[in-house]
Amino acid sequence: MPQGKIKRGRILSGMRPTGKLHLGNLEGALKQWVELQDEYECFFEIADWHALTTAWQDTSELHQFIRELAIDWLSAGIDPKRSVLFVQSLVPEHAELHLLFSMFVPVPWLERNPTYKDWIEELGPSAATYGLLGYPVLQAADILVYKADTVPVGKDQLPHLELTREIARRFNHLYGDVFPEPQARITEFALVPGIDGRKMSKTYNNHILMSEPPEEVERKIRRMFTDPEKIRMGDPGHPDKCPVFSLHRIYNPRETEEIETECRSGKLGCVSCKERLAKRINEELDVYRERRSYWEAHISELDDLLRYGSERAREVAKCTLEEVRRAMRLWR
Ligand code: TRP
């Protein structure tokens, strides 16, 4: 391998700071981010302006949510030495690019956006703000300001990625080639069931946080739904119908086969099956707990890290905006 600069693709992804992350977020996004750090130059954004698009009434917890999100990321292994962690609102170039894009993005593109329609249905007509309508335009600015070529996201974000590509194409067509068309990288992962067997989600309140204390993990797993046909110990179970077993598959691959056989034969009772699962989840979370406790004791170092990351992000963003202003023949 030659020394010096090795050309790698560039990744940009982000999350809205809306509270602590749970195991669904960990499996669905964060673990892939951690791995991608080896292959790509990574920018990870705390999208606080995006959080405001639906949470503008009450901003009292925003600071806390930003720090919590950063700590969840760091605890999972996002490495600030290799990747740029930054706060969206500390990089005002995102707002400038969003404004410029908004001049040529047709409103019907945004009204068609399924995410927008879902939000309005969920939150009511008062949620229909200018900012929320422009959510994907801001997301396009997030991605394009770094000229990212790869964007790891869940399937729910595909409409936003498609819009990002359309915006890039339209800009390039109007003013000349500035932006690459970024590709979504869909994260394939086993669906993580919550403690009631439905998809793990804060909305259902069936989640286990990454930052959950060990006793809480044990308590929640103990309360988990299991195969409804296995009532007494000794009854043969159906692992494929049991959310506890789905979690074994994720957190206890070594014992999965054994547990499957013992459950089917009726030898393994749900109580001890759950105890084994809680133990494994806690072993994995212990690694995160150790990093978490460091950052929780060093909040000002955390704030510095985010400010530093935002400055690095800003250097890249400024260069792109220079190019954009030139391409658009704006007063410079
Ligand atoms: N909209 C994304 C979500 O809700 C968060 C986000 C904001 C994002 N900006 C981004 C994701 C840029 C990828 C790229 O999950």
Side-chain angles (χ1 to χ4, degrees):
M1 210 43 118
Q3 288 292 309
K5 262 218 149 77
I6 301 159
K7 202 164 165 15
R8 293 183 296 170
R10 183 176 284 172
I11 286 226
L12 176 292
S13 199
M15 292 186 199
R16 286 171 295 142
T18 53
K20 295 178 170 147
L21 298 184
H22 54 67
L23 300 184
N25 308 123
L26 175 68
E27 301 302 324
L30 209 41
K31 281 192 180 173
Q32 282 79 7
W33 290 13
V34 170
E35 278 175 30
L36 290 166
Q37 295 181 111
D38 297 329
E39 261 177 81
Y40 290 87
E41 181 188 8
C42 292
F43 288 76
F44 297 122
E45 171 192 76
I46 297 181
D48 55 344
W49 282 336
H50 276 112
L52 283 183
T53 60
T54 54
W56 38 271
Q57 295 97 328
D58 181 6
T59 54
S60 57
E61 289 181 306
L62 199 53
H63 272 213
Q64 187 199 330
F65 285 167
I66 289 172
R67 291 191 181 118
E68 279 171 358
L69 185 57
I71 292 179
D72 276 333
W73 288 1
L74 292 162
S75 75
I78 297 293
D79 175 2
K81 293 202 181 71
R82 285 187 292 163
S83 300
V84 180
L85 276 70
F86 70 97
V87 180
Q88 184 181 36
S89 63
L90 292 183
V91 188
E93 284 72 17
H94 291 229
E96 185 176 347
L97 193 56
H98 165 260
L99 175 90
L100 294 173
F101 287 165
S102 73
M103 302 304 165
F104 64 77
V105 174
V107 172
W109 286 10
L110 304 175
E111 286 170 336
R112 273 203 298 272
N113 172 24
T115 326
Y116 179 70
K117 292 194 224 162
D118 290 349
W119 279 118
I120 304 302
E121 215 164 279
E122 198 186 314
L123 302 171
S126 66
T129 63
Y130 180 49
L132 186 63
L133 186 67
Y135 186 113
V137 184
L138 182 58
Q139 187 162 343
D142 292 348
I143 297 166
L144 297 174
V145 86
Y146 302 102
K147 299 188 181 183
D149 41 60
T150 309
V151 186
V153 281
K155 283 202 183 77
D156 63 311
Q157 295 294 310
L158 283 179
H160 295 165
L161 257 291
E162 196 43 59
L163 263 165
T164 301
R165 276 196 297 274
E166 281 174 72
I167 290 172
R169 277 198 291 274
R170 183 165 277 211
F171 185 100
N172 292 345
H173 174 73
L174 289 165
Y175 309 113
D177 253 335
V178 172
F179 297 112
E181 278 182 43
Q183 299 301 316
R185 182 180 165 124
I186 297 299
T187 43
E188 295 294 344
F189 67 102
L191 202 71
V192 184
I195 60 174
D196 60 359
R198 291 186 289 176
K199 180 182 171 205
M200 189 177 288
S201 151
K202 280 213 173 141
T203 323
Y204 298 150
N205 194 25
N206 64 357
H207 56 285
I208 298 174
L209 296 173
M210 285 177 63
S211 51
E212 212 83 74
E215 319 77 65
E216 236 351 72
V217 172
E218 282 164 21
R219 198 181 64 87
K220 287 189 170 179
I221 300 286
R222 228 181 289 130
R223 282 173 38 208
M224 263 186 94
F225 289 28
T226 52
D227 169 11
E229 286 166 44
K230 182 168 162 65
I231 296 160
R232 273 170 232 90
M233 188 173 159
D235 289 350
H238 307 84
D240 38 306
K241 290 188 199 151
C242 178
V244 175
F245 185 71
S246 306
L247 289 183
H248 270 292
R249 272 194 201 287
I250 303 172
Y251 292 101
N252 194 8
R254 264 182 294 132
E255 290 183 329
T256 303
E257 241 175 79
E258 182 188 318
I259 282 170
E260 184 167 10
T261 322
E262 290 185 5
C263 171
R264 278 191 204 286
S265 73
K267 196 170 140 203
L268 178 65
C270 294
V271 174
S272 66
C273 175
K274 287 174 168 179
E275 278 168 4
R276 283 159 79 173
L277 175 64
K279 186 162 172 286
R280 281 295 301 121
I281 293 182
N282 272 328
E283 273 165 23
E284 178 162 332
L285 295 187
D286 275 342
V287 180
Y288 307 153
R289 288 183 185 120
E290 201 176 310
R291 295 197 198 106
R292 173 182 306 281
S293 65
Y294 175 85
W295 289 108
E296 282 174 350
H298 295 83
I299 291 295
S300 69
E301 189 182 338
L302 178 77
D303 289 354
D304 285 346
L305 185 153
L306 291 176
R307 265 193 294 273
Y308 174 70
S310 304
E311 275 166 35
R312 283 174 64 195
R314 203 164 176 205
E315 282 164 26
V316 178
K318 275 184 180 163
C319 289
T320 306
L321 259 297
E322 256 312 293
E323 257 184 272
V324 165
R325 290 190 204 105
R326 186 176 308 131
M328 291 182 76
R329 299 184 160 72
L330 296 177
W331 191 268
R332 295 165 44 239

